[in-house]
Amino acid sequence: EVQLVESGGGLVQAGGSLRLSCAASGFTFDDYTIGWFRQAPGKEREGVSCFSRDGRTYYADSVKGRFTISGDAAKNTVYLQMNNLKPEDAAVYYCASSSYGCRGPKPALIEYWGKGTLVTISS
């Protein structure tokens, strides 16, 4: 049974930091491409970052230099470290897995989604 479970969201002041986690079960992250997405109210879901099977990483221009995607194979978990958060970063953040590679800051085709974790920014 494949599951992706996000955690780590919450309320943070602008300029602060959060680390989101995506814990996988039913498969190993090292065998798949993992992406982080976000969706703000009234906006379309957008790709934020992608971690390919060969270890390459990709970021949306809006988060480049502030966010970092990484993984811990022993814990079967992928993280999104978010620094210098801005009001426009507020959204529900989702992780997703794919058997395909990254196409820019998102996998080419999504096969499994987590249910999301909410990030709220105060200013």
Side-chain angles (χ1 to χ4, degrees), residues 29-43:
F29 272 10
D30 283 351
D31 295 332
Y32 297 90
T33 297
I34 305 297
W36 281 99
F37 293 76
R38 67 186 182 187
Q39 187 166 25
K43 303 291 185 180

Side-chain angles (χ1 to χ4, degrees), residues 10-123:
L11 174 64
V12 64
Q13 191 174 38
S17 299
L18 282 175
R19 189 181 73 165
L20 306 183
S21 298
C22 175
S25 62
F27 69 100
T28 302
F29 272 10
D30 283 351
D31 295 332
Y32 297 90
T33 297
I34 305 297
W36 281 99
F37 293 76
R38 67 186 182 187
Q39 187 166 25
K43 303 291 185 180
E44 294 186 350
R45 189 171 299 185
E46 63 174 335
V48 174
S49 184
C50 189
F51 196 131
S52 70
R53 292 170 64 177
D54 62 6
R56 296 178 181 176
T57 58
Y58 303 84
Y59 300 92
D61 288 343
S62 59
V63 308
K64 194 173 298 182
R66 299 188 297 120
F67 291 11
T68 303
I69 191 169
S70 63
D72 185 336
K75 297 182 181 295
N76 218 31
T77 299
V78 169
Y79 304 96
L80 185 68
Q81 178 67 46
M82 307 188 296
N83 297 328
N84 192 25
L85 284 161
K86 303 177 183 296
E88 55 263 39
D89 295 319
V92 177
Y93 283 73
Y94 303 87
C95 65
S97 65
S98 176
S99 297
Y100 301 85
C102 296
R103 188 175 187 179
K106 62 182 181 181
L109 188 152
I110 302 300
E111 294 161 339
Y112 296 97
W113 290 95
K115 294 190 180 298
T117 186
L118 178 64
V119 173
T120 304
I121 310 297
S122 62
S123 60

